[in-house]
Amino acid sequence: MKKVLRLKTEFERIIKRADEILIASAMITDFGLSLFDNRDQDALFQVLVGIDLPTQPSALQKMFDNKVEARVHNIKGQFFHPKVYMFRVDDSWLAYIGSGNCTQGGLERNIEMSVKVEDEDTVEELIKWFDIYFDKHGEVLTQDFIDEYTVMFNARRDLEANLNAKIKSFKNETGVSKGRRKLSDYNFSGQFFQFEHYNAFTGTKPITDSPEARKERLVVQEKLLELHQELYPLMQKRGWQVYEHHMSQHITSSYMHNERASKELTAIWLHYGRSEPELEAYQNAYGDNMTSLYHMRLEVLITKNHLWVELRVGKRDGSYPDREFIRKQLKTNPKFSTNYFNLVKALNKEFTVTIADEYVHVNEFQDEEDLKEFTLKDNPRRYYYRIGREYQPDDKAISEQNIVSTIMKDFEKLYPLYQLLKHKL
C-alpha cells in the first residue's frame, strides 16, 4: 500500500485509461464529478453516493441527465460515510481508500489521507463490498428523488452556512496559525481596554446571563461609551453623515440577553450609521425590520481576544437595500467598480474584506475584476459582509493615549467606502 495525499493528481493519470471506474463516496459535488468527465465513454462507470453529507443536487442531476449508473444510499437509520475509488486498467485493478470525498476539498484542497491498494485479493474484496451495496442497498436515481432532495438540500444549506460560519470564526480566533496567546500573557499597562474587558467574553460567559456575567459585560459597555464620548464629537466636527443611535441605551449593543440580542454575546460593539429620519424612511419603504441593526455601520467591537474596527456592510440576513445596490452597481457601473477598488486598496494592508466566510487582505486583490468577483459572492441571507481590521489587546495603537486617533484614522479610510456603498432612497 502507498499513502496518497492528493487524489486529484493520482486520478488524472488513471481516468483516461480506465476500463471500469467504481466510486462509493459519502458526498459528491459538481467539481468532484467533473474530474471524471474525461473518462472513456465506453468505460463502465458506477457511482454510489450518500446524502447524509450535503451532496449537491446539481451533481445528482448531471448524473441522471447523462445516464450515469448512479445510485443513492438512502436507508433509514444508516449514515453512509465511505470514500472508495476503484479502477480497472486492462486486466489490473487498483483502489484508493481514505478520508477524501468526491469533492474539491476531498480530492484536492483539504488535508486528507488515502492509501493506494494494488493487492489483488484486497481489491477483490472491495469490489464484492461495492457490488453488494450498489445492487442491494442503492436506490436508483430518479428525477422525482432529485426534486424532493433539492428542497431538503436548500433548507439544509442555510442551517449549515450558520454552523460553518461559527466554526470558521472559532478557528480564526483560536487557531495556532494566528499565534494564539493566553489573555493573561498580554501586557495591559497603559491600554485603554484592560484584561477585564476582554475576559468578559471568555469561556461560557457569552451564553451565561447570570448577574455576575451581566456585570462584567456592563463594564465593557461603559468603557465603550467612554470611548464614544471622545470619538463622536470628532466625527461631528468632520461633518460625517453617520450618527449615533437616537436612543441612548442603543448607542452600543446590549450587554444582556434579550429579544434584540444574540443568544451568544461574544462581543459588544459601538456603532454609527443612518440617522433617525433615514431609519424611519426605510421602515416606511421596506418594513419594520429596517432598524439600525439591519443597516450598514461603522463599528468598534471588543471580543475575547481582540479589538475590531470595521465597516460592517451587513450582518447575516441584513442590509438588503445596501447589498442589492452594491451588486447592481458592480454589474452595471464601471466607475463604481473603479472607485470601490481604489478605496479598498487605499486601506492599510492589515484590513481584510470578509464575504461568504472568506477573509481576504486588501493587498491580495489584483485588480478591479478580482475584487468585483469576490464581492459578488455575497449572499445577504447567509453571510456577513465586513471590511475592517483587528488589534491585539496589547497593541500600542489602542493604548489609552492612542486609541482615539487610531480609530479615527481607520474610520477616515472607511467612511468614503460607507458613502460609496450606501443605498439612498
Side-chain angles (χ1 to χ4, degrees):
M1 291 191 294
K2 169 190 172 184
K3 69 178 182 180
V4 179
L5 300 181
R6 291 288 182 270
L7 290 172
K8 180 174 180 288
T9 304
E10 289 276 323
F11 289 178
E12 286 175 335
R13 293 196 293 262
I14 301 170
I15 291 171
K16 291 181 180 179
R17 300 184 290 114
D19 299 298
E20 293 186 50
I21 302 174
L22 310 178
I23 298 174
S25 180
M27 177 179 171
I28 288 183
T29 62
D30 294 330
F31 177 92
L33 188 61
S34 68
L35 190 64
F36 296 86
D37 286 347
N38 63 350
R39 68 185 186 277
D40 185 337
Q41 294 304 305
D42 292 328
L44 175 68
F45 184 48
Q46 293 183 326
V47 179
L48 179 61
V49 60
I51 56 171
D52 300 289
L53 298 180
T55 286
Q56 288 182 327
S58 51
L60 299 180
Q61 188 69 58
K62 180 179 178 180
M63 290 192 289
F64 179 77
D65 292 343
N66 292 335
K67 297 180 171 54
V68 171
E69 285 192 61
R71 297 191 179 184
V72 178
H73 188 278
N74 183 27
I75 297 178
K76 184 178 179 179
Q78 293 187 4
F79 194 106
F80 190 73
H81 206 243
K83 295 93 177 175
V84 183
Y85 306 87
M86 292 173 281
F87 303 87
R88 179 176 69 81
V89 179
D90 297 327
D91 295 326
S92 299
W93 279 94
L94 68 157
Y96 296 83
I97 309 172
S99 63
N101 280 306
C102 194
T103 65
Q104 186 169 22
L107 300 176
E108 181 180 35
R109 287 185 175 177
N110 296 346
I111 298 174
E112 307 279 2
M113 174 56 71
S114 300
V115 291
K116 180 180 180 180
V117 181
E118 297 179 277
D119 176 73
E120 291 183 7
D121 292 338
T122 303
V123 176
E124 186 176 344
E125 288 299 315
L126 290 171
I127 294 172
K128 290 179 180 178
W129 171 88
F130 179 87
D131 287 342
I132 290 172
Y133 273 83
F134 188 84
D135 294 334
K136 296 185 178 181
H137 303 296
E139 179 179 337
V140 175
L141 198 58
T142 66
Q143 188 62 57
D144 285 344
F145 175 84
I146 294 172
D147 292 342
E148 290 185 27
Y149 174 74
T150 299
V151 174
M152 185 278 292
F153 178 87
N154 290 337
R156 172 185 190 162
R157 182 178 55 191
D158 291 339
L159 294 174
E160 290 189 336
N162 293 338
L163 176 60
N164 290 335
K166 289 181 180 294
I167 293 171
K168 286 187 178 184
S169 177
F170 179 80
K171 292 184 73 174
N172 282 330
E173 292 181 355
T174 64
V176 294
S177 63
K178 299 218 19 124
R180 179 163 60 107
R181 295 157 62 186
K182 294 180 181 177
L183 196 56
S184 58
D185 290 339
Y186 289 104
N187 179 3
F188 289 94
S189 177
Q191 294 302 102
F192 183 84
F193 290 103
Q194 294 292 305
F195 174 89
E196 63 183 344
H197 301 117
Y198 299 94
N199 193 51
F201 305 103
T202 59
T204 60
K205 294 175 186 177
I207 59 174
T208 303
D209 204 32
S210 66
E212 294 79 13
R214 283 191 176 191
K215 184 177 180 180
E216 288 190 51
R217 293 192 293 264
L218 175 59
V219 171
V220 179
Q221 185 191 61
E222 290 172 342
K223 194 66 175 176
L224 282 167
L225 289 172
E226 180 183 332
L227 179 62
H228 167 69
Q229 294 302 319
E230 297 192 58
L231 285 175
Y232 193 51
L234 295 176
M235 298 167 70
Q236 290 178 302
K237 186 176 181 180
R238 284 164 171 76
W240 292 354
Q241 295 175 8
V242 284
Y243 306 91
E244 66 179 357
H245 198 284
H246 56 279
M247 300 174 68
S248 60
Q249 67 268 34
H250 298 316
I251 290 174
T252 74
S253 60
S254 177
Y255 69 93
M256 298 186 296
H257 291 266
N258 55 47
E259 66 277 5
R260 294 184 65 256
S262 168
K263 295 180 180 179
E264 300 176 16
L265 295 176
T266 56
I268 296 179
W269 54 87
L270 175 64
H271 54 91
Y272 305 96
R274 285 180 163 92
S275 66
E276 182 179 9
E278 285 180 292
L279 294 176
E280 289 179 352
Y282 274 91
Q283 286 179 326
N284 291 333
Y286 290 92
D288 291 340
N289 66 340
M290 287 287 111
T291 66
S292 67
L293 183 64
Y294 294 91
H295 286 273
M296 182 162 50
R297 312 189 306 195
L298 293 172
E299 293 186 339
V300 180
L301 302 89
I302 182 167
T303 75
K304 66 181 179 181
N305 54 20
H306 64 260
L307 186 78
W308 183 262
V309 181
E310 69 172 358
L311 171 62
R312 194 210 67 182
V313 181
K315 67 185 290 289
R316 188 177 301 112
D317 200 27
S319 301
Y320 283 94
D322 292 325
R323 292 159 91 167
E324 289 171 4
F325 168 75
I326 294 166
R327 176 174 291 274
K328 181 178 179 180
Q329 292 298 308
L330 287 173
K331 289 183 174 182
T332 63
N333 187 346
K335 184 177 180 181
F336 178 93
S337 297
T338 298
N339 291 340
Y340 178 42
F341 177 74
N342 289 338
L343 289 173
V344 167
K345 294 295 283 189
L347 298 170
N348 298 335
K349 64 180 181 179
E350 292 83 8
F351 278 83
T352 59
V353 182
T354 305
I355 290 175
D357 293 336
E358 292 185 51
Y359 299 71
V360 178
H361 281 86
V362 295
N363 59 353
E364 295 180 37
F365 294 109
Q366 299 301 312
D367 51 35
E368 292 177 25
E369 191 61 31
D370 190 19
L371 177 60
K372 173 183 174 180
E373 181 179 341
F374 179 70
T375 304
L376 288 175
K377 292 181 180 180
D378 179 43
N379 183 336
R381 287 187 60 209
R382 299 174 60 190
Y383 303 117
Y384 272 78
Y385 176 177
R386 311 169 72 179
I387 305 173
R389 61 167 297 176
E390 67 177 51
Y391 292 91
Q392 297 301 304
D394 61 352
D395 193 323
K396 292 307 175 186
I398 56 170
S399 67
E400 185 83 37
Q401 181 177 356
N402 298 326
I403 189 168
V404 173
S405 61
T406 294
I407 293 174
M408 286 302 297
K409 287 177 183 177
D410 289 343
F411 277 0
E412 283 172 355
K413 291 181 176 294
L414 292 170
Y415 179 69
L417 276 164
Y418 175 84
Q419 290 292 81
L420 176 72
L421 304 179
K422 179 182 176 185
H423 174 267
K424 299 174 180 63
L425 284 175

